[in-house]
Structure formats: structure tokens, C-alpha cells
Amino acid sequence: MKSNTIYIRTLKRAEHTVFCVAKGQKTYYDSLFGRSIPYSSGQQVKRSIIDSICDVLNEVPSPTTFLFDVTKQNELKEGEVYATCDPTYVDQLFGGWMKAAKGGKERTLKRRSPLSISAMRALHPLLAGVNKENASFDRSDRPNNEIIVRDQKGNVLTEDEVTTFLEGKDRSLSRKWIADLSRATGLFVVDVAIDLRRLFTVSLNSLEPEISESTVEKLKEEGWQETKNVFGPCLLAPKKIREQWAEALASALINWKITSNQARTFSLMETLAISVSDNANAIAASIRAKLVDQEAKKAVPIVEEDMDDVKTFVTLQAGGYLFTQGESMNALSDAEEYIKREILSFDFENQL
């Protein structure tokens, strides 16, 4: 690949699960097919990938500063939230940051993430959906439950008052009914674009600063070297860091998982196929769906295993959900190694 950007498309299968909670499961409405489609936001996917990178490197993510102001009423008012704006933290370098100080007395520091990440959404509106289920929180078998009943004024009723109140009422106080919980099932895709020009560099543009002067000096002392790319003068991370963090990034892009997946609705969300390319149009065609019967509303998933400008990796479990020919038990490890090689093959030191 000779492009400055690596595109990665991942096909996953989710089964009766929740990966973004809002009234059970977040959905959007597809007006073309008239269906509610479950999704996980790009921000949640990004957070999951960044967390996975930190796990691989066994590093604690960067600290966050929360500011509060005391009001005239002697109450706390939420203020700004600051990132560290320090690229020596891997989650900062790959995740980006923004620090806008109150009052405008300090320069705003802003770095756009070199990773552009889509929402995890249906491969096709007909190949994913939500279903409803009812659940109960039942502790009626435990004799040591504490039951507290309050009247309209907030006063706690005595046990005798509660017993009197419940006369003639068929009501359990140790059991809660939870209706209409949404669960997601189907085939989902996520797209990631890696801007190699900015992946390991931090801009030195003083008009639109990414880092403070003190951070510039700190990075130079730690071996970051001055260079140039199409965005202007910049600092480049040392080769050792690039190699370690590229390996962690490749691993995270293959092995990330939705970290908010609820325990009672756990799904492996197994990966069925991964495509890698420097061509955005080609990557979109490599893993896709085809409408085969519009009236019956049927669509089939398609993975192109031998496509120009695209390297595709298909796992063994993919054969259970789509027609494949080249499944491999080493598909994910091969994809991880391929992505790492493609990242490190970029000439970071001589971009111009």
C-alpha cells in the first residue's frame, strides 16, 4: 500500500445482546426499509479500541482533570474537563484531545485523533434488528430482605402499617417486573481509517497548537525528533515507541470488544471477516450485502475473498452465516500481523 490512509472494515455477529444502553438498546430508524436498527456509536467503539490498546500495553490511561466552581449559593457547579494533552500517553496520542481554558486567557490545545471510527451498525437493515423481552428482579426467596415503604410525606411506615396497607392487594415487595427490554441480533460492520501521517506525529503549529511549550521541551528530551509532514513542522515519536504502539494498535483493532456489554446479555460478538485496504471504495465493496428479494425483504451477506486492492481475512465461524471458501483458523492473527506491517512500512521520518 502506498496511500497515507489504511481502511479497515470488520464484520461482527451479535446475538441477543446489548451494546449501547438507552431504553434497553439504542436504535436508529431506517426509512428505506422501515425498520429500527440497533447500533453502537463511533465514540463507544473508539473507547473500546483505546481501552484495548491500554490493556495490551498494560498501561493506565491518562488522567482527566475535572474542574468545579463554588457558586454564591454555596453549591458546586460543573466546570471544564481537561485532558492531559500529553502524547506520551498512548490513549492521548491515538485518541486526540481538546483543552479550552475558561476565560480565554490560555491558548486552546486541540489534537484531532488519527483514527476515524464509524458506528457499529447493521451490515444491511434486513440483516440486523431488535427484539423485546421481559425480565424480573426476583429476591422473594430471601427472608432477610429489607422492605421500606414511605408515605406521601416521605415518612417510613411501620411493619404493621405496611401489612394493613397491603390488605386486599396482590403485590410482592421483593419482586420487580421489567418490561420491553430491547436486545440486538444480527450482522454488524465497523469502519476504521488510520491517517498514517498523523499517527505518531504531533504538530508544532504555534497558530493552532496541539501541545504546550513545556510539553514540546519534554518530548524533545525523551527522544521525539523534529520533522515535517504535509501539515507542517511536527515532532515524531521515537522508533521504539512506534513499534510497540503499532503492535498494540493492530492487536486492539482485531480484538476490541464492547466494554459495556451487560452480563445477563453477554455475546461473544465474534468477528467473521476483516478487510484491509488503502482504497475507501474498495473496502466498502469487500464486505457488503445484496438485496435478493425486495418484496420478501431478503438480503444476503457477501465477503469478497479475492478482490484487487483489498486483503481479506475470513474466520472459521463465518461459514455458518455466509458463503465462504477461504476460512482460516489463523485469520485474526494473520490480519493483526498484516495491519502491523502496513503501519510500520510507512516512512514516518521522511514524509516529504
Side-chain angles (χ1 to χ4, degrees):
M1 294 182 182
K2 298 180 181 179
S3 173
N4 298 319
T5 305
I6 296 176
Y7 298 97
I8 301 169
R9 170 163 283 199
T10 302
L11 175 64
K12 286 180 171 289
R13 174 181 178 263
E15 183 178 20
H16 196 69
T17 186
V18 174
F19 42 72
C20 195
V21 181
K23 295 182 180 179
Q25 166 67 54
K26 276 188 176 178
T27 61
Y28 69 89
Y29 184 75
D30 184 275
S31 58
L32 185 60
F33 289 90
R35 291 166 57 89
S36 292
I37 309 298
Y39 75 97
S40 175
S41 68
Q43 183 65 29
Q44 185 184 32
V45 175
K46 177 183 176 182
R47 175 68 180 272
S48 300
I49 292 175
I50 295 295
D51 285 348
S52 182
I53 293 173
C54 292
D55 288 344
V56 172
L57 295 172
N58 197 28
E59 291 188 5
V60 177
S62 61
T64 301
T65 301
F66 295 86
L67 279 75
F68 296 85
D69 298 310
V70 177
T71 66
K72 293 180 180 180
Q73 292 76 27
N74 204 33
E75 297 177 349
L76 279 181
K77 178 183 178 182
E78 291 189 8
E80 307 93 309
V81 178
Y82 291 160
T84 58
C85 305
D86 185 346
T88 58
Y89 290 97
V90 66
D91 63 307
Q92 291 283 281
L93 184 67
F94 290 162
W97 60 70
M98 182 171 181
K99 179 181 179 181
K102 184 178 180 180
K105 295 181 179 180
E106 298 180 21
R107 296 295 302 276
T108 296
L109 303 179
K110 181 171 61 176
R111 170 177 171 79
R112 186 165 65 90
S113 171
L115 307 178
S116 297
I117 302 173
S118 76
M120 184 168 76
R121 73 280 182 202
L123 175 64
H124 188 280
L126 298 178
L127 295 176
V130 291
N131 48 55
K132 300 284 187 178
E133 72 171 8
N134 298 323
S136 65
F137 182 82
D138 190 349
R139 299 296 182 268
S140 57
D141 60 333
R142 301 181 184 181
N144 58 349
N145 292 329
E146 183 179 4
I147 305 297
I148 298 175
V149 179
R150 295 167 296 200
D151 63 16
Q152 295 178 355
K153 296 181 180 180
N155 300 316
V156 177
L157 302 183
T158 65
E159 185 174 344
D160 290 339
E161 289 174 328
V162 172
T163 301
T164 301
F165 178 77
L166 290 177
E167 288 181 359
K169 298 179 177 65
D170 183 15
R171 177 66 185 271
S172 171
L173 300 184
S174 299
R175 194 183 301 126
K176 287 186 177 293
W177 183 254
I178 309 171
D180 290 337
L181 295 178
S182 299
R183 301 292 179 250
T185 299
L187 301 182
F188 299 85
V189 286
V190 176
D191 295 313
V192 177
I194 307 174
D195 188 342
L196 297 172
R197 300 167 299 178
R198 295 186 298 108
L199 186 62
F200 291 112
T201 60
V202 180
S203 174
L204 292 177
N205 182 356
S206 60
L207 299 179
E208 296 291 340
E210 288 192 4
I211 51 178
S212 64
E213 290 297 329
S214 60
T215 304
V216 171
E217 296 307 316
K218 171 190 172 183
L219 295 179
K220 289 181 178 179
E221 291 174 359
E222 295 182 4
W224 290 58
Q225 66 184 71
E226 290 191 59
T227 184
K228 289 184 178 181
N229 59 20
V230 294
F231 306 108
C234 56
L235 287 177
L236 175 65
K239 184 177 181 180
K240 183 178 180 180
I241 289 179
R242 299 200 304 266
E243 292 175 345
Q244 292 177 344
W245 289 7
E247 183 173 358
L249 175 59
S251 175
L253 289 169
I254 299 301
N255 300 304
W256 65 272
K257 56 187 179 297
I258 296 294
T259 51
S260 66
N261 192 218
Q262 293 183 349
R264 69 173 184 268
T265 55
F266 175 73
S267 169
L268 289 173
M269 295 190 188
E270 64 267 31
T271 298
L272 304 185
I274 294 176
S275 292
V276 186
S277 178
D278 62 354
N279 186 318
N281 290 321
I283 202 76
S286 63
I287 298 176
R288 66 187 193 278
K290 183 176 181 179
L291 189 64
V292 294
D293 191 330
Q294 188 169 3
E295 292 185 0
K297 292 187 177 181
K298 291 184 179 180
V300 295
I302 298 174
V303 173
E304 296 289 353
E305 301 179 56
D306 187 16
M307 186 175 178
D308 293 340
D309 298 329
V310 180
K311 185 71 172 178
T312 301
F313 305 87
V314 183
T315 65
L316 295 178
Q317 53 268 41
Y321 308 100
L322 48 92
F323 294 107
T324 61
Q325 295 179 345
E327 308 102 306
S328 168
M329 68 172 59
N330 300 318
L332 297 184
S333 58
D334 291 345
E336 181 179 333
E337 183 63 28
Y338 182 78
I339 292 172
K340 183 180 73 172
R341 287 201 312 269
E342 291 303 313
I343 293 174
L344 293 177
S345 66
F346 185 74
D347 193 351
F348 295 101
E349 298 177 348
N350 301 288
Q351 295 193 35
L352 294 180

